[in-house]
Amino acid sequence: MELIGSTQTATYARPKTSHFLPAISTTASSYRSHQPALTFNQNSNMPWKTNTYFRTGSAIPTVSALQRENLDLVRAKTMFYPSNRTALSTRYMPDDWYKSNHSNYRESESSRNSAERLRRDTIRLIQDKDQLTRRTQETTSKNIGERLNNISFWRSELNHEIDNMVTEIAALTDVKRRLERALAETESPLQVSQECLFHREKRMTIDLVHDDVEIDLIKEVEVIKSCQERMRRHLERAIAQLASNRAAQHELERDLSDKLTAQRIDDRCHHLRNTSDGISYYRGIDRLDPSVSLPDSWSKYTDDNILHSQSERAASHRLRDEIEILLNATSNEMWNQFNTVNVSFTNRISETADAKNNLQAHLAKTLQEIFQTEMLIEALKKAIRDKENPLKVAQTRLEERSRRPNVELCRDNPHHRLITEVREIEDTVQKLKGRLMEAENTLQNLVKTKVILEYDLSVKANSLFLDQEKCMSMRKSFPSTPRLIGYT
């Protein structure tokens, strides 16, 4: 409703007081707000004159004075008549009487007009203010409704982000568990590799070599330790990222809780009506400003929380990808090095077995040669013993023939032949003894060789036992690929 006209405050002033006598009628006396009729406070010993009214017109009559005036009027009507008066006092003129009536009319009309204008303006003011209050209340309710829509929007965004963050935390926690299991699974291969190195330290003499197996085993230990170090670093990053994710989730949940509370309060305010229960006066509440944020900062706070959560989720997703890549890479590295060590072990075992077989063959030949040499020595000794009797016979013949008498002691052919025979037998015995000494030396060398071969054979057997029985039997328990990437 539009405001028609304008309020004229000048019309609300007190009506001008008339200097004429008030009308004594029902019309004049019906306006209670009008000034009461003035009475003449006339002294009994003083004659009544016109100017007495004007001198006492400003006095406000009381109820008793009005009663006395009415009584005097009755007495005047009943007792005094113009014919009884001896002398006439000064009276109002007819013009005065008409002027007084017209003045009262004008005064009444002016008062009525002022009251009517006041009534119309007041009714219009009441209607305008009612409409203004209603429009303001509707606007406020609309603003609260829009605020509820904004809160609902950010609530949905927060719920969506919280769901995503919860999913991401669960995924990162699962990857972290897999990383922990994979890290725990690397302890067994590391222990196996170190045990293999310790067992191979028990190799003896010449077999205690820095061969390919030992090089690959040392490299395997380094690879496993390197994988463990990378796993530990990523595990620490995962723990820190989980803490950051949970902190972001906590901020989102706290913001969501605040918005739920604010939405509940605003929803209750939005449903408040003029007829609702629980409404009351709160003096001075409009001068209190408990707000700590503005609409821009309010929305920016939630937007920053969501952006922070999204950045943490992105970092968490990248970390999960890195951990997946790391698990696959470490598994491949350890398996490749494990296979390399196994190949080196296989080759070394094959070489050791071949060496052992060769040693066994040489030992068998050496034993055979020792046997034949011993037989040769026995044959030489027998041959030397067989030459003793012929030598004795030859020397005895010489000794017997040396006792021939006189000229019979002749250097005949038998004598020369016996001397040649003795010398030949002695030379044969010396050669046989020389060969016997050579055979004995050869036998001694063969025995030494046999000892060396037997010792080397025991060394090879020990190395073969360590590599094949000890190390390779342990390496059969190397974790599988699913275990190395943490799935089991």
Side-chain angles (χ1 to χ4, degrees):
M1 177 178 178
E2 298 181 356
L3 184 62
I4 301 175
S6 61
T7 305
Q8 298 178 359
T9 57
T11 60
Y12 300 148
R14 186 177 182 82
K16 183 177 180 182
T17 305
S18 175
H19 296 285
F20 297 97
L21 289 175
I24 302 175
S25 65
T26 57
T27 304
S29 63
S30 63
Y31 295 99
R32 302 299 181 188
S33 62
H34 194 273
Q35 186 175 352
L38 301 179
T39 60
F40 301 101
N41 193 5
Q42 179 178 331
N43 196 351
S44 60
N45 55 7
M46 186 176 72
W48 182 84
K49 292 184 180 182
T50 307
N51 56 1
T52 305
Y53 171 76
F54 293 99
R55 285 199 303 269
T56 61
S58 60
I60 301 174
T62 62
V63 177
S64 60
L66 291 174
Q67 290 176 355
R68 287 196 302 270
E69 181 183 1
N70 293 333
L71 182 60
D72 293 338
L73 182 59
V74 171
R75 289 176 179 176
K77 288 182 178 181
T78 58
M79 296 178 65
F80 300 101
Y81 296 97
S83 62
N84 296 331
R85 294 182 183 177
T86 58
L88 292 177
S89 300
T90 304
R91 296 184 179 183
Y92 287 105
M93 299 301 291
D95 291 337
D96 295 333
W97 184 79
Y98 284 113
K99 287 180 180 178
S100 177
N101 290 336
H102 285 294
S103 176
N104 289 332
Y105 298 158
R106 287 194 300 271
E107 185 71 22
S108 175
E109 184 178 0
S110 175
S111 298
R112 291 197 309 273
N113 290 335
S114 297
E116 185 178 358
R117 283 195 300 271
L118 177 61
R119 187 175 66 254
R120 288 197 304 266
D121 292 344
T122 302
I123 291 173
R124 186 167 60 250
L125 178 63
I126 292 172
Q127 292 175 352
D128 292 343
K129 293 304 179 182
D130 285 343
Q131 290 182 0
L132 178 61
T133 302
R134 187 167 54 254
R135 287 198 302 269
T136 303
Q137 193 177 71
E138 290 175 355
T139 303
T140 303
S141 298
K142 180 180 178 182
N143 291 336
I144 294 177
E146 292 176 354
R147 181 67 172 180
L148 286 173
N149 292 333
N150 292 335
I151 294 176
S152 298
F153 168 75
W154 286 114
R155 271 191 58 199
S156 63
E157 293 293 322
L158 287 172
N159 283 323
H160 180 68
E161 184 60 30
I162 288 173
D163 292 339
N164 291 336
M165 180 56 75
V166 169
T167 304
E168 180 61 33
I169 289 176
L172 184 59
T173 303
D174 182 66
V175 172
K176 176 178 146 309
R177 291 197 192 98
R178 287 176 49 202
L179 184 59
E180 290 174 347
R181 288 195 293 264
L183 180 60
E185 288 294 336
T186 58
E187 291 296 330
S188 177
L190 179 62
Q191 185 176 2
V192 167
S193 300
Q194 292 174 343
E195 286 292 330
C196 289
L197 287 173
F198 294 149
H199 283 307
R200 297 191 93 244
E201 289 296 321
K202 298 176 184 178
R203 293 174 297 168
M204 297 179 295
T205 61
I206 193 60
D207 273 16
L208 194 61
V209 295
H210 188 61
D211 53 5
D212 293 338
V213 177
E214 187 171 355
I215 294 172
D216 291 335
L217 278 174
I218 294 174
K219 186 177 179 181
E220 185 178 32
V221 172
E222 293 175 354
V223 167
I224 295 175
K225 288 184 177 180
S226 174
C227 294
Q228 286 180 341
E229 182 64 25
R230 284 183 288 170
M231 288 180 180
R232 289 190 185 98
R233 287 200 302 267
H234 281 74
L235 183 59
E236 292 174 357
R237 289 179 58 192
I239 294 173
Q241 186 62 49
L242 276 175
S244 299
N245 290 350
R246 291 192 178 96
Q249 180 187 1
H250 175 70
E251 290 297 327
L252 293 175
E253 289 175 347
R254 185 174 65 177
D255 194 4
L256 180 62
S257 176
D258 294 343
K259 281 181 171 47
L260 286 172
T261 304
Q263 187 179 24
R264 185 169 58 252
I265 294 173
D266 285 348
D267 185 68
R268 186 167 62 250
C269 293
H270 187 257
H271 287 88
L272 280 179
R273 297 294 181 267
N274 296 331
T275 57
S276 299
D277 296 333
I279 58 176
S280 178
Y281 286 108
Y282 296 92
R283 300 296 181 184
I285 192 64
D286 55 332
R287 294 189 296 272
L288 178 64
D289 187 12
S291 61
V292 296
S293 64
L294 298 175
D296 292 339
S297 62
W298 174 79
S299 59
K300 186 176 183 299
Y301 176 77
T302 303
D303 190 41
D304 290 343
N305 286 337
I306 293 175
L307 290 177
H308 177 66
S309 176
Q310 289 176 349
S311 64
E312 292 296 339
R313 281 197 300 110
S316 178
H317 189 273
R318 288 195 299 270
L319 180 59
R320 285 195 295 112
D321 292 340
E322 292 178 7
I323 292 175
E324 291 288 349
I325 295 173
L326 173 67
L327 290 175
N328 292 325
T330 53
S331 175
N332 292 332
E333 290 177 9
M334 287 187 287
W335 262 108
N336 292 334
Q337 188 60 32
F338 172 76
N339 293 328
T340 301
V341 173
N342 287 347
V343 170
S344 298
F345 262 115
T346 302
N347 295 334
R348 187 61 178 173
I349 290 172
S350 178
E351 292 176 356
T352 305
D354 292 341
K356 181 183 176 183
N357 293 332
N358 292 331
L359 286 174
Q360 287 177 343
H362 283 283
L363 180 61
K365 292 179 181 179
T366 300
L367 291 174
Q368 182 65 29
E369 191 65 30
I370 287 173
F371 175 75
Q372 293 178 355
T373 303
E374 288 176 348
M375 296 298 294
L376 176 63
I377 290 173
E378 292 298 328
L380 288 173
K381 288 180 179 180
K382 182 178 182 301
I384 291 173
R385 287 195 303 269
D386 291 340
K387 296 297 184 288
E388 290 177 356
N389 290 328
L391 180 59
K392 290 178 181 180
V393 170
Q395 289 178 353
T396 301
R397 284 178 178 175
L398 284 175
E399 195 277 330
E400 288 293 332
R401 294 189 80 224
S402 65
R403 289 196 293 268
R404 287 177 300 169
N406 300 320
V407 73
E408 291 299 326
L409 189 62
C410 179
R411 294 184 177 179
D412 51 5
N413 288 331
H415 179 75
H416 291 291
R417 187 60 188 168
L418 284 172
I419 292 173
T420 302
E421 183 181 4
V422 169
R423 289 177 179 175
E424 286 179 356
I425 292 173
E426 288 179 350
D427 183 61
T428 299
V429 170
Q430 290 299 326
K431 288 182 179 180
L432 290 175
K433 287 182 178 180
R435 288 298 176 87
L436 178 61
M437 186 176 296
E438 290 180 3
E440 289 176 349
N441 291 334
T442 301
L443 179 61
Q444 187 176 2
N445 291 332
L446 289 173
V447 171
K448 289 180 179 179
T449 302
K450 180 181 78 69
V451 172
I452 291 173
L453 290 176
E454 288 176 347
Y455 179 75
D456 199 10
L457 189 62
S458 65
V459 169
K460 296 297 184 292
N462 179 67
S463 299
L464 194 62
F465 172 76
L466 293 175
D467 289 345
Q468 190 170 16
E469 300 298 330
K470 289 287 188 180
C471 296
M472 290 304 292
S473 62
M474 288 191 303
R475 296 183 66 82
K476 292 179 181 179
S477 62
F478 195 83
S480 60
T481 300
R483 293 175 62 186
L484 288 177
I485 60 178
Y487 280 115
T488 56

